[in-house]
Amino acid sequence: MPRYRVMDHTADLGVYFYGATPEEVLINAGAVLFELMLSGKPRSGDIQKTVILEGLDLEDLLVRWLSELLYFFSVRKEVMTGAEIKSLSSTRLEARIKLAPFDPATQALKMEIKAPTYHQLELKPREAGWRARVIFDL
């Protein structure tokens, strides 16, 4: 099963994320977010953070998760290098993430992603696993 697929979208960036579970979809979405934005390899992640989010439903948690990861990059200049979902319910997410400082000597910005949007947002089970659809504002 692929981790993601970019979909045609007129002005912004649409991405399908896949996983066997909703937890795996969230981890793949976070990792792919940085793959789409950056070229080059980050240093190994030596900064660890616990992220606790509350939302209205799984789809809202997905947007909040991606927004949190963008915050770490945009404000703190940190790149996610790993993640583990500690617990997930329909309204609460707790994750442990590894971050590394953004290193312009080894990485470059390929695409600036401003934010995930709620437009056409989806996170649902499929015949084989789960799939999310996210449209990112560029």
Side-chain angles (χ1 to χ4, degrees):
M1 176 184 312
R3 291 187 312 150
Y4 76 100
R5 180 172 61 87
V6 174
M7 59 186 256
D8 288 333
H9 196 273
T10 53
D12 294 317
L13 174 66
V15 183
Y16 289 111
F17 299 105
Y18 303 97
T21 64
E23 290 87 346
E24 189 173 288
V25 171
L26 289 164
I27 289 173
N28 287 341
V32 168
L33 173 68
F34 288 99
E35 286 179 23
L36 294 170
M37 288 192 314
L38 303 172
S39 63
K41 294 222 175 237
R43 293 187 288 179
S44 64
D46 53 357
I47 304 166
Q48 296 198 17
K49 303 260 186 214
T50 297
V51 174
I52 298 173
L53 301 169
E54 294 189 4
L56 301 173
D57 53 28
L58 282 175
E59 292 162 334
D60 189 36
L61 284 172
L62 174 61
V63 167
R64 291 173 188 262
W65 166 247
L66 293 169
S67 297
E68 186 79 3
L69 297 177
L70 282 171
Y71 163 80
F72 283 115
F73 180 73
S74 300
V75 176
R76 301 174 61 97
K77 305 299 180 208
E78 295 171 340
V79 178
M80 186 184 88
T81 59
E84 178 184 1
I85 304 294
K86 295 291 198 182
S87 66
L88 178 66
S89 73
S90 61
T91 58
R92 188 175 189 277
L93 162 71
E94 180 176 346
R96 187 84 176 151
I97 61 173
K98 291 182 181 177
L99 301 159
F102 173 68
D103 184 356
T106 61
Q107 294 182 289
L109 186 64
K110 290 191 303 188
M111 173 188 320
E112 184 176 353
I113 296 177
K114 294 178 184 171
T117 71
Y118 288 90
H119 179 65
Q120 298 183 347
L121 179 64
E122 176 184 284
L123 176 57
K124 294 187 175 181
R126 311 282 289 181
E127 284 186 28
W130 285 67
R131 183 182 83 179
R133 178 180 54 215
V134 179
I135 307 295
F136 290 99
D137 185 22
L138 301 178

